[in-house]
Amino acid sequence: GAVVSQHPSRVICKSGTSVKIECRSLDFQATTMFWYRQFPKKSLMLMATSNEGSKATYEQGVEKDKFLINHASLTLSTLTVTSAHPEDSSFYICSARGVGRKLFFGSGTQLSVL
Amino acid sequence: GESVGLHLPTLSVQEGDNSIINCAYSNSASDYFIWYKQESGKGPQFIIDIRSNMDKRQGQRVTVLLNKTVKHLSLQIAATQPGDSAVYFCAVTTGANSKLTFGKGITLSVRP
């Protein structure tokens, strides 16, 4: 199946710093990627839809100035958590749409903000 | 809007038995359904999908059943193994470019 690579897998940062998470589709081109957030023992919550060459579409309640998304190429989308605070600590997961309508997910990034 | 639910938060089965995980959805226009498996600290892993023009699809040890009349989806795992222990999510979507809506997740535990 299609492979989506997400880095880093884990990051610990100080409050007020920014963190960038990368999501790459390794063997296919993805015009659309998705970013999710997941709290412990909870389901995935869609944060935003990342479209190659255009602005991301954010879900209601997600601060676009805090969660910056860039989809500069057909294989790379980045999520930058700006001025991170402890409440931003979470598991962030990206996904990309492969052939047909299947969504393939990255391995996730555990963000811990001290 | 779409809401997707799983009937039970946890399921415990004996190794070797069959497992059945159920999911209900609310939007009758939903036309594509996917089951994912998520292990602790990892991203969801695609298991099997089904389109609304089908009512059954089989994979390796897994079967997905779709009942559009009652808006119900199930995942059957044959001969459940310890490696099947994980959280399982159903996800539904409406239209080719629409986003997936995930259910709450059910934890499957396999007893040795």
Side-chain angles (χ1 to χ4, degrees), chain A residues 35-37 45-49 57-59 62 67 79 92:
Chain A
W35 287 95
Y36 294 83
R37 184 172 181 177
M45 290 173 39
L46 180 64
M47 298 174 65
T49 302
T57 304
Y58 290 82
E59 294 299 300
V62 178
F67 299 101
L79 168 68
Y92 293 88

Side-chain angles (χ1 to χ4, degrees), chain B:
Chain B
E2 177 69 75
S3 69
V4 181
L6 287 163
H7 293 308
L8 292 172
T10 61
L11 175 66
S12 179
V13 299
Q14 189 73 37
E15 180 179 357
D17 287 352
N18 296 335
S19 302
I20 299 176
I21 303 172
N22 297 304
C23 180
Y25 61 97
S26 61
N27 188 348
S28 58
S30 296
D31 63 350
Y32 182 56
F33 309 84
I34 311 176
W35 281 100
Y36 288 95
K37 172 186 179 183
Q38 187 179 27
E39 297 174 328
S40 181
K42 298 183 179 179
Q45 176 187 356
F46 174 90
I47 301 174
I48 192 168
D49 59 353
I50 188 168
R51 296 182 186 274
S52 58
N53 61 353
M54 303 173 69
D55 52 22
K56 180 179 180 179
R57 192 160 186 232
Q58 288 184 293
Q60 187 176 10
R61 280 201 309 119
V62 294
T63 300
V64 55
L65 298 177
L66 175 63
N67 185 330
K68 295 180 289 294
T69 302
V70 295
K71 296 194 283 290
H72 182 270
L73 185 71
S74 69
L75 175 70
Q76 300 178 2
I77 304 173
T80 312
Q81 303 169 359
D84 295 326
S85 295
V87 178
Y88 289 81
F89 293 97
C90 65
V92 305
T93 186
T94 306
N97 296 315
S98 65
K99 56 194 178 188
L100 279 182
T101 300
F102 281 82
K104 291 183 173 58
I106 182 168
T107 302
L108 175 65
S109 298
V110 181
R111 303 189 303 272

Side-chain angles (χ1 to χ4, degrees), chain A:
Chain A
V3 178
V4 176
S5 175
Q6 184 174 343
H7 291 282
S9 60
R10 182 177 294 274
V11 58
I12 301 172
C13 68
K14 292 182 179 179
S15 185
T17 60
S18 295
V19 175
K20 180 184 283 189
I21 303 170
E22 290 190 349
C23 181
R24 295 180 184 273
S25 55
L26 296 186
D27 50 0
F28 66 101
Q29 293 183 330
T31 55
T32 303
M33 292 186 177
F34 302 88
W35 287 95
Y36 294 83
R37 184 172 181 177
Q38 186 177 32
F39 292 102
K41 300 189 184 302
K42 298 291 185 183
S43 188
L44 283 75
M45 290 173 39
L46 180 64
M47 298 174 65
T49 302
S50 171
N51 302 298
E52 188 269 334
S54 64
K55 290 183 179 180
T57 304
Y58 290 82
E59 294 299 300
Q60 189 174 8
V62 178
E63 300 176 60
K64 60 180 67 176
D65 293 332
K66 178 161 198 60
F67 299 101
L68 299 179
I69 291 172
N70 184 276
H71 195 153
S73 76
L74 287 171
T75 59
L76 174 64
S77 176
T78 60
L79 168 68
T80 301
V81 183
T82 62
S83 187
H85 288 94
E87 59 265 31
D88 298 324
S89 298
S90 190
F91 192 57
Y92 293 88
I93 312 172
C94 70
S95 69
R97 183 171 279 140
V99 176
R101 297 168 66 178
K102 291 180 183 178
L103 266 192
F104 295 94
F105 286 81
S107 53
T109 298
Q110 182 63 54
L111 171 63
S112 299
V113 184
L114 304 178

